[in-house]
Amino acid sequence: MSVTILIGAQWGDEGKGRVADWLARQADGMARCAGGDNAGHTVMVGEREFKLHLIPSGVIHPNLQCFMGAGMVINPLRLVEELDMLAGQGVDVSPERLHISGRAHVITPGHLALDGASERALGKGSIGTTRRGIGPAYMDKAARTGILTGAMRDPDDFAEQIRAAVESANWLLTERYGLEPVDAAGLAGQYRAAAARLAPYIADTTFLIHTLLEAGRRLLCEGAQGTLLDIDHGHYPFVTSSSPSAGGALTGLGFGPRAVERVVGVAKAYCTRVGNGPFPTELEDATGEQMRQAGHEFGTTTGRPRRCGWLDGVALRYAARINGLTELVITKLDVLSGLDPLHIATSYTLDGEPLATLPPDTAAAARAVPVYETLPGWKGDISGARRLEDLPSQARHYIDRIQQIAGVPAIMISVGPERDQAIIL
Protein backbone atom coordinates (compact mmCIF):
# COMPACT_ATOMS: atom_id res chain seq x y z
CA MET A 1 0.00 0.00 0.00
CA SER A 2 1.27 3.47 -0.86
CA VAL A 3 -0.46 6.63 0.34
CA THR A 4 0.95 10.14 0.16
CA ILE A 5 -0.82 12.76 2.26
CA LEU A 6 -0.47 16.37 1.10
CA ILE A 7 -1.35 18.97 3.72
CA GLY A 8 -0.99 22.69 4.34
CA ALA A 9 1.60 23.50 7.01
CA GLN A 10 0.30 27.01 7.73
CA TRP A 11 -3.14 28.70 7.72
CA GLY A 12 -4.12 27.47 4.26
CA ASP A 13 -3.53 29.12 0.87
CA GLU A 14 -0.01 27.66 0.76
CA GLY A 15 -0.21 26.63 -2.91
CA LYS A 16 -1.29 23.02 -2.40
CA GLY A 17 -3.12 22.93 -5.74
CA ARG A 18 -0.04 23.22 -7.90
CA VAL A 19 1.90 20.85 -5.62
CA ALA A 20 -0.96 18.36 -5.86
CA ASP A 21 -0.80 18.71 -9.63
CA TRP A 22 2.94 17.88 -9.52
CA LEU A 23 2.58 14.92 -7.15
CA ALA A 24 -0.38 13.61 -9.13
CA ARG A 25 2.02 12.64 -11.92
CA GLN A 26 3.34 9.93 -9.58
CA ALA A 27 -0.13 8.71 -8.48
CA ASP A 28 -2.89 6.45 -9.76
CA GLY A 29 -5.67 7.93 -7.63
CA MET A 30 -6.34 11.20 -5.85
CA ALA A 31 -8.75 12.01 -3.04
CA ARG A 32 -10.13 14.96 -1.12
CA CYS A 33 -10.65 13.93 2.48
CA ALA A 34 -12.29 16.85 4.32
CA GLY A 35 -13.75 20.33 3.98
CA GLY A 36 -15.89 21.66 1.18
CA ASP A 37 -15.94 24.51 -1.29
CA ASN A 38 -14.33 26.78 1.29
CA ALA A 39 -11.12 25.39 -0.23
CA GLY A 40 -9.64 27.03 -3.30
CA HIS A 41 -6.93 25.21 -5.26
CA THR A 42 -5.54 26.88 -8.40
CA VAL A 43 -3.71 24.88 -11.07
CA MET A 44 -2.05 26.56 -14.06
CA VAL A 45 -1.61 24.50 -17.24
CA GLY A 46 0.03 26.75 -19.80
CA GLU A 47 -2.35 29.66 -20.33
CA ARG A 48 -5.26 27.77 -18.78
CA GLU A 49 -6.16 28.37 -15.15
CA PHE A 50 -8.27 25.86 -13.22
CA LYS A 51 -9.81 27.09 -9.96
CA LEU A 52 -11.06 24.06 -8.06
CA HIS A 53 -13.03 24.08 -4.83
CA LEU A 54 -14.39 20.55 -4.43
CA ILE A 55 -13.01 18.17 -7.05
CA PRO A 56 -9.44 16.88 -6.46
CA SER A 57 -6.80 18.83 -8.38
CA GLY A 58 -5.63 15.60 -10.03
CA VAL A 59 -8.73 15.58 -12.24
CA ILE A 60 -6.60 17.54 -14.74
CA HIS A 61 -4.55 14.34 -15.27
CA PRO A 62 -6.69 12.09 -17.51
CA ASN A 63 -5.53 8.73 -16.12
CA LEU A 64 -6.23 9.37 -12.42
CA GLN A 65 -9.20 8.01 -10.50
CA CYS A 66 -10.58 10.79 -8.27
CA PHE A 67 -12.41 10.41 -4.95
CA MET A 68 -14.40 12.75 -2.72
CA GLY A 69 -14.34 11.21 0.73
CA ALA A 70 -16.80 10.77 3.59
CA GLY A 71 -15.10 13.53 5.59
CA MET A 72 -16.23 16.19 3.10
CA VAL A 73 -19.26 18.47 3.15
CA ILE A 74 -20.58 19.09 -0.36
CA ASN A 75 -22.80 21.74 -1.87
CA PRO A 76 -24.45 19.93 -4.83
CA LEU A 77 -25.10 23.15 -6.75
CA ARG A 78 -21.45 24.21 -6.50
CA LEU A 79 -20.30 20.75 -7.50
CA VAL A 80 -22.45 20.78 -10.64
CA GLU A 81 -21.00 24.19 -11.54
CA GLU A 82 -17.47 22.82 -11.13
CA LEU A 83 -18.25 19.77 -13.24
CA ASP A 84 -19.60 22.01 -16.00
CA MET A 85 -16.54 24.27 -15.82
CA LEU A 86 -14.16 21.34 -16.18
CA ALA A 87 -16.17 19.65 -18.92
CA GLY A 88 -16.24 22.94 -20.81
CA GLN A 89 -12.43 22.92 -20.80
CA GLY A 90 -12.23 19.38 -22.13
CA VAL A 91 -11.59 17.57 -18.84
CA ASP A 92 -13.14 14.12 -18.39
CA VAL A 93 -15.40 14.34 -15.33
CA SER A 94 -17.47 11.23 -15.99
CA PRO A 95 -18.72 8.95 -13.18
CA GLU A 96 -16.22 6.36 -14.41
CA ARG A 97 -13.34 8.40 -12.95
CA LEU A 98 -14.91 10.68 -10.31
CA HIS A 99 -16.46 9.00 -7.27
CA ILE A 100 -18.35 10.70 -4.42
CA SER A 101 -18.73 8.98 -1.08
CA GLY A 102 -22.34 8.35 -0.14
CA ARG A 103 -21.31 9.09 3.46
CA ALA A 104 -20.23 12.68 2.86
CA HIS A 105 -22.62 15.36 4.11
CA VAL A 106 -24.68 17.83 2.10
CA ILE A 107 -24.48 21.60 2.54
CA THR A 108 -28.07 22.83 2.36
CA PRO A 109 -29.39 26.34 1.59
CA GLY A 110 -30.20 26.58 5.30
CA HIS A 111 -26.54 26.02 6.17
CA LEU A 112 -25.53 28.83 3.83
CA ALA A 113 -28.06 31.25 5.29
CA LEU A 114 -27.18 30.38 8.89
CA ASP A 115 -23.44 30.75 8.24
CA GLY A 116 -23.91 34.29 6.99
CA ALA A 117 -26.39 35.16 9.76
CA SER A 118 -24.05 33.91 12.48
CA GLU A 119 -21.06 35.85 11.13
CA ARG A 120 -23.08 39.07 10.89
CA ALA A 121 -24.40 38.62 14.43
CA LEU A 122 -20.87 38.19 15.82
CA GLY A 123 -19.80 41.52 14.33
CA LYS A 124 -16.20 42.39 15.18
CA GLY A 125 -15.88 39.06 16.97
CA SER A 126 -16.63 37.07 13.82
CA ILE A 127 -14.52 34.05 12.94
CA GLY A 128 -14.02 35.17 9.35
CA THR A 129 -15.55 32.15 7.64
CA THR A 130 -16.02 31.89 3.87
CA ARG A 131 -19.81 31.84 4.48
CA ARG A 132 -20.09 28.69 2.38
CA GLY A 133 -22.12 26.82 5.02
CA ILE A 134 -19.22 24.62 6.13
CA GLY A 135 -19.55 25.12 9.89
CA PRO A 136 -23.34 24.62 10.07
CA ALA A 137 -23.05 21.49 7.90
CA TYR A 138 -20.48 19.96 10.26
CA MET A 139 -22.66 21.01 13.22
CA ASP A 140 -25.55 18.99 11.82
CA LYS A 141 -23.20 16.10 11.10
CA ALA A 142 -22.09 16.02 14.74
CA ALA A 143 -25.68 16.41 15.92
CA ARG A 144 -26.71 13.49 13.66
CA THR A 145 -29.30 15.63 11.87
CA GLY A 146 -27.44 16.07 8.57
CA ILE A 147 -28.24 14.77 5.10
CA LEU A 148 -25.88 12.26 3.49
CA THR A 149 -24.86 12.56 -0.15
CA GLY A 150 -26.12 9.01 -0.60
CA ALA A 151 -29.64 10.41 -0.38
CA MET A 152 -29.15 11.88 -3.86
CA ARG A 153 -29.69 8.42 -5.33
CA ASP A 154 -33.43 9.18 -4.94
CA PRO A 155 -33.78 12.80 -6.14
CA ASP A 156 -37.43 13.16 -5.11
CA ASP A 157 -36.84 11.98 -1.53
CA PHE A 158 -33.65 14.06 -1.40
CA ALA A 159 -35.57 17.20 -2.39
CA GLU A 160 -38.06 16.54 0.41
CA GLN A 161 -35.21 16.19 2.92
CA ILE A 162 -33.76 19.49 1.70
CA ARG A 163 -37.14 21.21 1.98
CA ALA A 164 -37.56 20.00 5.57
CA ALA A 165 -34.01 21.03 6.49
CA VAL A 166 -34.55 24.53 5.08
CA GLU A 167 -37.83 24.87 6.96
CA SER A 168 -36.00 24.00 10.17
CA ALA A 169 -33.29 26.56 9.40
CA ASN A 170 -35.93 29.17 8.63
CA TRP A 171 -37.16 29.02 12.21
CA LEU A 172 -33.69 29.97 13.44
CA LEU A 173 -33.29 32.65 10.77
CA THR A 174 -36.55 34.37 11.69
CA GLU A 175 -36.72 33.78 15.46
CA ARG A 176 -33.05 34.08 16.45
CA TYR A 177 -31.65 36.44 13.82
CA GLY A 178 -34.75 38.37 12.73
CA LEU A 179 -34.12 37.66 9.05
CA GLU A 180 -36.35 36.73 6.15
CA PRO A 181 -36.90 32.99 5.56
CA VAL A 182 -35.31 31.13 2.68
CA ASP A 183 -37.48 29.84 -0.20
CA ALA A 184 -37.60 26.18 0.87
CA ALA A 185 -39.72 24.86 -2.01
CA GLY A 186 -37.84 26.67 -4.79
CA LEU A 187 -34.40 25.67 -3.53
CA ALA A 188 -35.52 22.08 -2.96
CA GLY A 189 -36.32 21.96 -6.69
CA GLN A 190 -32.82 23.15 -7.57
CA TYR A 191 -31.29 20.54 -5.29
CA ARG A 192 -33.46 17.85 -6.85
CA ALA A 193 -32.08 18.72 -10.30
CA ALA A 194 -28.52 18.62 -8.92
CA ALA A 195 -29.20 15.23 -7.31
CA ALA A 196 -30.42 13.77 -10.59
CA ARG A 197 -27.16 14.92 -12.17
CA LEU A 198 -24.91 13.66 -9.34
CA ALA A 199 -26.58 10.33 -8.48
CA PRO A 200 -24.37 8.30 -10.89
CA TYR A 201 -21.25 9.58 -9.08
CA ILE A 202 -22.25 8.23 -5.64
CA ALA A 203 -20.12 5.23 -4.67
CA ASP A 204 -18.54 3.30 -1.81
CA THR A 205 -15.28 5.25 -2.01
CA THR A 206 -13.70 3.42 0.93
CA PHE A 207 -14.04 0.11 -0.91
CA LEU A 208 -12.75 1.62 -4.15
CA ILE A 209 -9.74 3.16 -2.42
CA HIS A 210 -8.85 -0.12 -0.70
CA THR A 211 -9.20 -1.95 -4.01
CA LEU A 212 -6.80 0.52 -5.59
CA LEU A 213 -4.27 0.21 -2.76
CA GLU A 214 -4.46 -3.57 -2.58
CA ALA A 215 -3.62 -3.66 -6.30
CA GLY A 216 -0.35 -1.90 -5.50
CA ARG A 217 -1.51 1.45 -6.84
CA ARG A 218 -0.57 4.84 -5.40
CA LEU A 219 -3.06 7.22 -3.76
CA LEU A 220 -2.50 10.94 -3.21
CA CYS A 221 -4.66 12.56 -0.52
CA GLU A 222 -5.21 16.29 -1.03
CA GLY A 223 -5.93 18.26 2.12
CA ALA A 224 -7.79 21.56 2.25
CA GLN A 225 -7.06 24.61 4.42
CA GLY A 226 -4.03 24.18 6.70
CA THR A 227 -2.83 22.58 9.94
CA LEU A 228 -3.11 25.80 11.93
CA LEU A 229 -6.84 25.87 11.13
CA ASP A 230 -7.42 22.33 12.44
CA ILE A 231 -10.44 22.24 14.76
CA ASP A 232 -8.43 20.27 17.35
CA HIS A 233 -4.95 21.70 16.84
CA GLY A 234 -5.59 25.29 15.70
CA HIS A 235 -6.47 28.33 17.81
CA TYR A 236 -10.13 27.76 18.58
CA PRO A 237 -12.61 29.23 17.61
CA PHE A 238 -10.65 30.77 14.72
CA VAL A 239 -10.44 27.41 12.95
CA THR A 240 -12.23 25.45 10.26
CA SER A 241 -14.77 22.78 11.20
CA SER A 242 -12.79 19.75 10.03
CA SER A 243 -9.34 18.20 10.44
CA PRO A 244 -7.02 19.46 7.68
CA SER A 245 -4.03 17.78 9.33
CA ALA A 246 -2.71 14.33 8.35
CA GLY A 247 -5.06 12.48 10.70
CA GLY A 248 -8.07 13.86 8.84
CA ALA A 249 -7.04 11.95 5.73
CA LEU A 250 -7.29 8.63 7.56
CA THR A 251 -10.70 9.30 9.07
CA GLY A 252 -12.07 11.16 6.04
CA LEU A 253 -11.18 8.41 3.57
CA GLY A 254 -11.17 5.26 5.68
CA PHE A 255 -7.72 3.67 5.75
CA GLY A 256 -5.21 3.00 8.51
CA PRO A 257 -1.79 4.54 9.23
CA ARG A 258 0.12 1.52 7.90
CA ALA A 259 -0.89 2.58 4.38
CA VAL A 260 0.84 5.97 4.71
CA GLU A 261 4.26 6.20 3.10
CA ARG A 262 4.78 9.97 2.84
CA VAL A 263 3.37 13.11 4.47
CA VAL A 264 4.22 16.19 2.42
CA GLY A 265 3.70 19.61 3.97
CA VAL A 266 3.36 22.79 1.91
CA ALA A 267 4.48 26.15 3.31
CA LYS A 268 4.97 29.54 1.74
CA ALA A 269 8.34 31.26 2.12
CA TYR A 270 6.37 33.75 4.24
CA CYS A 271 2.99 33.52 6.00
CA THR A 272 -0.56 34.53 5.14
CA ARG A 273 -3.89 34.16 6.85
CA VAL A 274 -7.50 34.89 5.89
CA GLY A 275 -10.02 35.75 8.58
CA ASN A 276 -9.54 36.57 12.22
CA GLY A 277 -7.35 34.87 14.81
CA PRO A 278 -3.77 35.01 16.12
CA PHE A 279 -1.02 35.76 13.61
CA PRO A 280 2.17 36.64 15.53
CA THR A 281 4.33 37.60 12.52
CA GLU A 282 1.69 39.72 10.73
CA LEU A 283 2.99 42.86 9.01
CA GLU A 284 0.49 45.71 8.85
CA ASP A 285 2.88 47.97 6.96
CA ALA A 286 4.35 48.61 3.53
CA THR A 287 6.34 45.35 3.61
CA GLY A 288 3.17 43.35 4.25
CA GLU A 289 1.43 45.17 1.42
CA GLN A 290 4.37 44.48 -0.90
CA MET A 291 4.04 40.75 -0.10
CA ARG A 292 0.31 40.91 -0.77
CA GLN A 293 0.68 42.56 -4.16
CA ALA A 294 3.72 40.55 -5.32
CA GLY A 295 2.14 37.28 -4.20
CA HIS A 296 -1.39 38.15 -5.45
CA GLU A 297 -2.61 37.35 -1.96
CA PHE A 298 -6.34 37.44 -2.46
CA GLY A 299 -8.52 34.43 -1.62
CA THR A 300 -9.40 32.01 -4.45
CA THR A 301 -12.75 31.35 -2.80
CA THR A 302 -13.67 34.75 -1.32
CA GLY A 303 -11.43 37.27 -3.07
CA ARG A 304 -10.60 38.76 0.32
CA PRO A 305 -7.11 40.24 0.81
CA ARG A 306 -4.95 37.91 2.89
CA ARG A 307 -3.06 39.08 5.95
CA CYS A 308 0.68 38.79 5.26
CA GLY A 309 3.76 38.45 7.45
CA TRP A 310 7.20 36.94 7.91
CA LEU A 311 7.68 33.19 8.03
CA ASP A 312 6.74 31.81 11.45
CA GLY A 313 9.27 29.06 12.13
CA VAL A 314 7.66 28.20 15.47
CA ALA A 315 4.31 27.50 13.81
CA LEU A 316 6.01 25.57 10.99
CA ARG A 317 7.86 23.37 13.48
CA TYR A 318 4.54 22.75 15.26
CA ALA A 319 2.88 21.71 11.97
CA ALA A 320 5.77 19.35 11.20
CA ARG A 321 5.26 17.60 14.53
CA ILE A 322 1.46 17.45 14.36
CA ASN A 323 1.53 15.83 10.94
CA GLY A 324 4.72 13.80 11.12
CA LEU A 325 5.96 15.51 7.96
CA THR A 326 8.44 13.52 5.91
CA GLU A 327 8.96 16.18 3.25
CA LEU A 328 8.43 19.90 2.75
CA VAL A 329 7.52 22.01 -0.27
CA ILE A 330 8.34 25.72 -0.07
CA THR A 331 6.23 27.92 -2.34
CA LYS A 332 6.38 31.53 -3.56
CA LEU A 333 10.06 32.07 -2.88
CA ASP A 334 10.04 34.58 -5.75
CA VAL A 335 7.71 36.90 -3.80
CA LEU A 336 10.53 37.74 -1.38
CA SER A 337 12.83 39.06 -4.13
CA GLY A 338 13.76 42.65 -3.39
CA LEU A 339 13.04 42.46 0.35
CA ASP A 340 16.22 42.98 2.36
CA PRO A 341 16.71 41.98 5.10
CA LEU A 342 14.42 38.99 5.62
CA HIS A 343 13.16 37.70 8.98
CA ILE A 344 12.09 34.31 10.32
CA ALA A 345 10.47 33.94 13.74
CA THR A 346 12.41 31.26 15.64
CA SER A 347 10.80 31.77 19.06
CA TYR A 348 8.41 34.09 20.92
CA THR A 349 8.21 36.04 24.10
CA LEU A 350 4.97 35.82 26.06
CA ASP A 351 4.37 38.45 28.70
CA GLY A 352 8.10 39.07 28.76
CA GLU A 353 9.10 35.41 29.14
CA PRO A 354 10.85 33.39 26.39
CA LEU A 355 8.75 30.74 24.64
CA ALA A 356 9.99 28.23 22.07
CA THR A 357 6.66 26.58 21.22
CA LEU A 358 3.30 27.64 19.84
CA PRO A 359 0.97 28.53 22.76
CA PRO A 360 -2.12 26.29 22.67
CA ASP A 361 -4.22 28.99 24.35
CA THR A 362 -5.74 31.39 21.81
CA ALA A 363 -5.48 34.49 23.99
CA ALA A 364 -1.84 33.70 24.76
CA ALA A 365 -1.07 33.16 21.06
CA ALA A 366 -2.56 36.58 20.32
CA ARG A 367 -0.13 38.14 22.83
CA ALA A 368 2.93 36.25 21.61
CA VAL A 369 5.69 38.51 20.29
CA PRO A 370 7.97 36.95 17.65
CA VAL A 371 11.73 36.80 18.15
CA TYR A 372 13.29 37.09 14.72
CA GLU A 373 16.40 35.76 13.09
CA THR A 374 17.56 38.20 10.41
CA LEU A 375 18.84 36.92 7.07
CA PRO A 376 20.12 38.77 4.00
CA GLY A 377 17.69 39.20 1.11
CA TRP A 378 18.37 39.12 -2.61
CA LYS A 379 17.50 41.17 -5.66
CA GLY A 380 16.47 40.24 -9.15
CA ASP A 381 13.98 37.92 -10.78
CA ILE A 382 14.40 34.27 -9.75
CA SER A 383 11.33 32.95 -11.59
CA GLY A 384 13.56 31.38 -14.26
CA ALA A 385 15.56 29.28 -11.78
CA ARG A 386 15.23 25.52 -12.32
CA ARG A 387 18.20 24.31 -10.26
CA LEU A 388 19.27 25.23 -6.77
CA GLU A 389 22.50 26.56 -8.24
CA ASP A 390 20.50 29.10 -10.27
CA LEU A 391 19.41 30.88 -7.09
CA PRO A 392 21.37 33.66 -5.38
CA SER A 393 23.40 32.43 -2.40
CA GLN A 394 21.12 34.39 -0.05
CA ALA A 395 18.06 32.53 -1.35
CA ARG A 396 19.81 29.18 -0.92
CA HIS A 397 20.73 30.11 2.65
CA TYR A 398 17.12 31.10 3.34
CA ILE A 399 15.90 27.69 2.13
CA ASP A 400 18.52 25.94 4.26
CA ARG A 401 17.32 27.76 7.39
CA ILE A 402 13.70 26.83 6.73
CA GLN A 403 14.64 23.16 6.50
CA GLN A 404 16.74 23.37 9.67
CA ILE A 405 14.01 25.12 11.65
CA ALA A 406 11.25 22.76 10.46
CA GLY A 407 13.46 19.69 10.84
CA VAL A 408 12.15 18.44 7.50
CA PRO A 409 13.94 18.25 4.11
CA ALA A 410 12.54 20.23 1.20
CA ILE A 411 11.79 18.39 -2.04
CA MET A 412 10.53 21.28 -4.15
CA ILE A 413 10.81 25.08 -4.27
CA SER A 414 8.33 27.06 -6.37
CA VAL A 415 9.51 30.29 -7.98
CA GLY A 416 6.35 31.21 -9.88
CA PRO A 417 2.75 30.10 -10.55
CA GLU A 418 3.35 28.04 -13.71
CA ARG A 419 3.67 24.25 -13.61
CA ASP A 420 7.34 24.35 -14.61
CA GLN A 421 8.41 27.25 -12.38
CA ALA A 422 9.86 24.98 -9.73
CA ILE A 423 13.16 23.62 -8.48
CA ILE A 424 13.03 19.91 -7.73
CA LEU A 425 15.52 18.88 -5.03
Side-chain angles (χ1 to χ4, degrees):
M1 289 188 178
S2 178
V3 172
T4 296
I5 300 174
L6 176 68
I7 57 93
Q10 295 168 321
W11 285 277
D13 308 309
E14 301 95 349
K16 295 182 293 297
R18 67 91 49 86
V19 180
D21 175 61
W22 174 60
L23 290 173
R25 303 173 198 185
Q26 309 164 30
D28 302 293
M30 190 167 180
R32 271 284 306 274
C33 50
D37 61 316
N38 55 335
H41 294 174
T42 302
V43 179
M44 296 291 297
V45 182
E47 296 298 318
R48 293 194 299 168
E49 181 181 64
F50 297 90
K51 291 189 175 182
L52 302 166
H53 299 275
L54 285 162
I55 297 171
S57 302
V59 74
I60 307 303
H61 297 265
N63 298 321
L64 256 68
Q65 289 290 302
C66 294
F67 307 93
M68 298 173 65
M72 292 187 69
V73 287
I74 297 170
N75 181 330
L77 302 186
R78 294 277 185 182
L79 180 53
V80 168
E81 289 176 3
E82 201 159 300
L83 288 170
D84 289 342
M85 179 273 292
L86 289 166
Q89 297 198 54
V91 178
D92 177 9
V93 286
S94 65
E96 285 71 37
R97 67 179 302 245
L98 176 63
H99 314 284
I100 304 170
S101 172
R103 292 180 173 177
H105 276 249
V106 173
I107 296 175
T108 71
H111 293 145
L112 294 165
L114 290 171
D115 199 357
S118 175
E119 283 288 277
R120 285 191 294 270
L122 289 170
K124 291 183 179 180
S126 68
I127 295 168
T129 76
T130 57
R131 305 194 181 196
R132 294 295 179 96
I134 308 299
Y138 277 115
M139 285 174 61
D140 279 357
K141 176 179 179 176
R144 293 169 290 183
T145 58
I147 299 173
L148 295 177
T149 48
M152 290 192 287
R153 293 188 180 100
D154 184 337
D156 290 329
D157 183 65
F158 177 70
E160 178 56 29
Q161 290 185 52
I162 292 294
R163 186 201 61 76
V166 173
E167 292 288 2
S168 178
N170 278 340
W171 185 89
L172 287 172
L173 288 169
T174 56
E175 298 300 318
R176 177 182 293 180
Y177 297 109
L179 299 174
E180 291 297 313
V182 176
D183 178 10
L187 288 166
Q190 293 180 35
Y191 270 62
R192 187 205 176 283
R197 172 81 177 277
L198 296 173
Y201 292 88
I202 304 301
D204 183 349
T205 56
T206 300
F207 174 77
L208 293 176
I209 286 171
H210 277 271
T211 300
L212 182 142
L213 292 174
E214 287 163 4
R217 304 293 186 177
R218 295 162 297 183
L219 178 71
L220 174 61
C221 305
E222 180 182 20
Q225 290 81 48
T227 301
L228 301 177
L229 294 176
D230 190 285
I231 192 167
D232 295 309
H233 302 293
H235 286 117
Y236 192 89
F238 303 105
V239 292
T240 192
S241 299
S242 61
S243 296
S245 52
L250 278 65
T251 56
L253 295 170
F255 57 81
R258 288 191 298 174
V260 180
E261 184 178 22
R262 306 165 64 191
V263 183
V264 180
V266 186
K268 285 176 181 168
Y270 52 99
C271 281
T272 65
R273 178 168 191 165
V274 172
N276 297 326
F279 186 0
T281 63
E282 183 174 10
L283 295 171
E284 299 181 273
D285 59 11
T287 301
E289 184 59 30
Q290 181 175 338
M291 289 178 179
R292 182 177 298 113
Q293 295 302 325
H296 305 288
E297 296 296 356
F298 300 90
T300 302
T301 300
T302 64
R304 290 181 293 181
R306 296 173 183 141
R307 301 156 65 189
C308 297
W310 296 118
L311 181 68
D312 190 331
V314 182
L316 181 57
R317 201 160 51 229
Y318 173 80
R321 292 168 177 166
I322 290 293
N323 294 291
L325 296 185
T326 60
E327 297 142 81
L328 187 65
V329 173
I330 302 169
T331 61
K332 293 197 170 184
L333 184 68
D334 54 302
V335 173
L336 297 182
S337 293
L339 292 176
D340 190 12
L342 302 173
H343 303 282
I344 299 177
T346 55
S347 63
Y348 305 136
T349 60
L350 180 61
D351 302 330
E353 296 295 323
L355 185 66
T357 59
L358 190 68
D361 179 73
T362 301
R367 299 197 310 275
V369 177
V371 176
Y372 288 115
E373 177 179 319
T374 301
L375 296 91
W378 60 89
K379 295 180 180 179
D381 182 8
I382 64 170
S383 62
R386 297 296 179 270
R387 302 176 306 157
L388 202 58
E389 295 78 14
D390 297 336
L391 293 174
S393 60
Q394 300 93 328
R396 296 198 301 270
H397 179 55
Y398 189 77
I399 293 166
D400 287 342
R401 281 302 290 141
I402 294 174
Q403 295 177 87
Q404 291 163 6
I405 290 165
V408 181
I411 58 168
M412 173 183 169
I413 312 294
S414 83
V415 291
E418 298 290 343
R419 259 181 168 180
D420 66 339
Q421 287 183 297
I423 298 168
I424 309 302
L425 304 179

